[in-house]
Amino acid sequence: YALLLPSGNDAAVALAEHFGSHFPPPPPEDPQLEQWPPDGAIARFVGHMNRLAQRIGLRSDGSAGTRRSTFFVSPHGMGNDRNVSCCSDLIRISQRAMQFALFRKVVATVKFRAEAREDMGRASTKHWANTNLLLRSGLQDRYDGVKTGWIPNVHCRREGGCLVTRV
């Protein structure tokens, strides 16, 4: 919920830090990951994101003459002009993610509250609201969710981005 409702970049980094050590290091042909220690958890996580993107057909293998349509250099996609994707890949990512019941449930959630433990064991309550205004429009039964927002380097025909939707 912390990742998907508020577009939580901090949650993306936390997930990468926690799970990244379970993946192999990124291949040496991904030098754009130099902002992270090469054997660190975040580089491993992002490397896994790129391997998964390639495995499901979202990007080329980088061979001569081919262009990568989706390439990640951070777990959250922001603050770096080298994170790239295209509208058709965003559609494919969304379609694939919507196959999972938990993902469908989370992205359709308007608000969520969770109890958390802070440093030194102090309890606190975290609140997240979905940034997708369509879900808060009174017509939420007509919308599935997924994400809203702006991604700086989405390749599209016109400047300004793309809209990923299902009719």
Side-chain angles (χ1 to χ4, degrees):
Y1 291 93
L3 173 68
L4 293 171
L5 296 191
S7 293
N9 293 346
D10 55 342
V13 171
L15 289 167
E17 288 174 339
H18 182 76
F19 291 105
S21 63
H22 299 282
F23 302 116
E29 62 268 14
D30 283 350
Q32 297 194 45
L33 299 179
E34 77 260 353
Q35 73 188 75
W36 312 108
D39 203 30
I42 294 177
R44 287 171 175 256
F45 188 87
V46 174
H48 182 71
M49 290 169 58
N50 285 321
R51 283 188 295 274
L52 181 59
Q54 187 174 13
R55 187 169 59 225
I56 64 176
L58 296 185
R59 69 177 206 151
S60 74
D61 62 3
S63 306
T66 61
R67 189 178 108 209
R68 293 178 171 186
S69 60
T70 294
F71 185 74
F72 303 105
V73 295
S74 73
H76 48 67
M78 297 301 294
N80 191 314
D81 291 343
R82 293 175 294 175
N83 282 297
V84 294
S85 195
C86 64
C87 293
S88 63
D89 282 358
L90 294 177
I91 291 168
R92 291 175 76 186
I93 291 168
S94 298
Q95 288 173 328
R96 190 163 179 109
M98 289 297 278
Q99 293 174 357
F100 298 94
L102 179 59
F103 181 85
R104 288 193 309 271
K105 177 183 174 186
V106 171
V107 297
T109 300
V110 177
K111 293 180 180 178
F112 188 79
R113 184 184 70 185
E115 299 298 319
R117 291 271 175 216
E118 302 287 337
D119 289 339
M120 310 230 279
R122 192 183 71 178
S124 69
T125 302
K126 304 293 183 188
H127 298 267
W128 297 287
N130 200 318
T131 58
N132 188 339
L133 296 179
L134 295 172
L135 295 174
R136 293 188 270 157
S137 67
L139 301 170
Q140 59 267 27
D141 58 325
R142 296 184 184 188
Y143 300 105
D144 293 334
V146 187
K147 280 308 305 152
T148 61
W150 176 76
I151 302 170
N153 288 315
V154 173
H155 303 301
C156 60
R157 291 179 195 225
R158 296 176 186 239
E159 199 60 38
C162 71
L163 173 65
V164 176
T165 187
R166 179 180 75 163
V167 179

